[in-house]
Amino acid sequence: MDKVFIDHLEVYCTIGVYEWEKQITQKLVLDLEMDFDTQAAGEQDDMSLALDYAAVSKRVTDMISTRPIGLVEAVAEQTAQLLLTEFPILRVRVRVTKPGAVVNARGVGVEIIREA
């Protein structure tokens, strides 16, 4: 199966379980890898047959940035479910990184794989 990916999608949102985190906006970084048959789009050079990266990015950004979320695990699960239900993909890998969450680490997070 072909893979369509979005690398390093930055989303600013209210994320965290601590009271001080609920009062600020923080950055999350998402890496998305989606199983999607790109053959027809490639052979016909037809955007209507492709997975629209911009639409995927906007939908994920809108979902995450519009309401507070406690855990990066919840972000990953909700993102995977959104993509599997709203876009014609069979499998998705979602990696969510929260930069600066742990001292001496560039970032922490989770990576999940879900299938339709």
Side-chain angles (χ1 to χ4, degrees):
M1 179 55 65
D2 304 327
K3 304 237 184 268
V4 174
F5 67 90
I6 298 173
D7 185 43
H8 206 89
L9 177 64
E10 294 184 4
V11 179
Y12 292 86
C13 61
T14 302
I15 177 80
V17 295
Y18 299 110
E19 285 306 313
W20 65 268
E21 289 181 297
K22 295 176 183 179
Q23 308 304 316
I24 64 170
T25 299
Q26 298 184 69
K27 178 172 73 172
L28 293 180
V29 177
L30 283 82
D31 297 307
L32 309 172
E33 183 179 282
M34 300 156 282
D35 285 5
F36 180 82
D37 186 353
T38 65
Q39 186 173 1
E43 289 176 348
Q44 298 178 42
D45 198 16
D46 185 344
M47 175 59 187
S48 72
L49 300 173
L51 183 59
D52 186 340
Y53 315 110
V56 169
S57 298
K58 180 177 183 344
R59 187 65 184 95
V60 169
T61 299
D62 289 347
M63 180 195 69
I64 295 169
S65 64
T66 56
R67 60 183 170 69
I69 301 175
L71 302 173
V72 293
E73 290 86 348
V75 172
E77 284 295 338
Q78 292 168 20
T79 299
Q81 291 309 310
L82 171 96
L83 294 173
L84 290 169
T85 58
E86 294 188 17
F87 294 92
I89 60 175
L90 303 173
R91 181 177 171 275
V92 63
R93 181 183 64 81
V94 178
R95 180 182 178 97
V96 180
T97 304
K98 188 175 179 183
V102 172
V103 176
N104 297 329
R106 184 169 67 177
V108 299
V110 299
E111 179 175 294
I112 65 170
I113 297 172
R114 299 293 181 263
E115 295 183 12

